[in-house]
Amino acid sequence: MLDFMLGDFMVRATLAGVGVAVAAAPLGSFVVWRRMAYFGDATAHAAILGVALSLAFSMSIFVGAVVVALAMALLVSSLTGRGYAMDTLLGVLAHSALAFGLVAVSFLSGIRIDLMSYLFGDILAVSREDLAVIWGGAALVVALIVWRWSALLTATLNEDLAHASGVDPRREQLILTLALAITVAVAIKVVGVLLIAAMLIIPAAAARPLARTPESMALIAAAIGVLAAIVGLRGSYLLDTPSGPTIVCAAAIAFAATSLFRRRGA
């Protein structure tokens, strides 16, 4: 019965979208709280270089994307505070990584690659193996967040408070960076590198006006992300539009709705 269900491409696509939303939305709450939007963007853009290296060395695209995304995140962390404004540094690294990735792909002779599927996602082509990777990565990200929730939250709120509580902010930053790299790697197939940051930020931003506590914001963000994935996929099927961008559009509509709710409640 399960094999029959997973044979339907729309079922696989929906499960993939839900898996990415479950990982990205709660993690996106920390991205929003820490004002790390550009950080997520830089990590996502670096993933295309990971794809090129994976294809060149005949290795798993997931592994290559995780390694390069993690390397980018660590590079950004190490260069922070060395004379460059954060937005300038992230802008340079994000666009440089994307450009080098695209150039590297052009050198892959004899390898057929649909570049658009990696840039904007190709959720309708998700296979059972892709689903296993997506849900395995999502489970790992959720487990990391749940395990380190209190420490991550303390380090996010105040570094001095974190030190006083015996929490190392740099260690928590590293854990958050690892979770971000894994999320980017599993989301490539679904929304592509250019839209991953949107799925990290928009559901969390949409959840903010509705949440009373950090925990409720993470849960509401996950619910909005899942709803956006389902509604976006259905909308793309009915309107014959690209699935990844349509999912992001659904999340953006949710953000507009909650922003309106906040204004009326103010």
Side-chain angles (χ1 to χ4, degrees):
M1 181 64 177
L2 181 60
D3 286 343
F4 174 76
M5 288 180 63
L6 291 180
D8 184 343
F9 76 96
M10 280 301 291
V11 173
R12 294 197 303 271
T14 302
L15 289 174
V18 169
V20 168
V22 165
L27 181 61
S29 297
F30 285 100
V31 172
V32 169
W33 292 330
R34 287 173 172 252
R35 299 181 180 179
M36 292 171 56
Y38 280 122
F39 187 84
D41 219 22
T43 307
H45 284 184
I48 197 68
L49 180 58
V51 170
L53 294 176
S54 299
L55 294 173
F57 293 101
S58 301
M59 55 190 277
S60 166
I61 288 177
F62 173 78
V63 173
V66 166
V67 169
V68 175
L70 185 58
M72 169 61 78
L74 292 174
L75 178 62
V76 171
S77 297
S78 65
L79 292 177
T80 300
R82 296 197 178 185
Y84 292 101
M86 177 59 81
D87 58 344
T88 301
L89 180 63
L90 290 174
V92 169
L93 292 176
H95 295 95
S96 298
L98 180 60
F100 276 110
L102 294 176
V103 170
V105 166
S106 70
F107 284 109
L108 298 176
S109 58
I111 299 177
R112 189 171 178 271
I113 176 173
D114 181 6
L115 194 57
M116 294 297 287
S117 69
Y118 288 107
L119 292 177
F120 297 102
D122 190 10
I123 191 172
L124 298 181
V126 167
S127 65
R128 299 182 189 187
E129 291 75 18
D130 292 329
L131 272 180
V133 170
I134 289 169
W135 275 96
L140 182 56
V141 169
V142 171
L144 278 172
I145 292 174
V146 171
W147 173 48
R148 303 301 301 172
W149 178 264
S150 296
L152 282 169
L153 195 58
T154 303
T156 298
L157 292 174
N158 190 294
E159 288 195 4
D160 292 333
L161 178 62
H163 283 298
S165 304
V167 174
D168 183 358
R170 292 188 64 84
R171 181 186 61 199
E172 303 311 317
Q173 173 73 23
L174 182 60
I175 291 172
L176 197 61
T177 297
L178 175 61
L180 186 59
I182 294 171
T183 301
V184 166
V186 301
I188 285 178
K189 191 80 172 181
V190 178
V191 291
V193 299
L194 297 183
L195 300 175
I196 291 172
M199 286 305 292
L200 281 167
I201 298 163
I202 297 177
R208 200 166 197 171
L210 307 178
R212 299 290 184 186
T213 64
E215 292 80 6
S216 65
M217 179 169 161
L219 291 173
I220 294 171
I224 291 174
V226 168
L227 184 63
I230 295 172
V231 172
L233 268 174
R234 182 62 177 170
S236 71
Y237 179 78
L238 294 175
L239 301 174
D240 193 24
T241 54
S243 300
T246 307
I247 290 172
V248 175
C249 287
I253 291 171
F255 172 74
T258 60
S259 297
L260 183 62
F261 171 82
R262 178 169 59 182
R263 284 189 179 184
R264 288 190 171 182

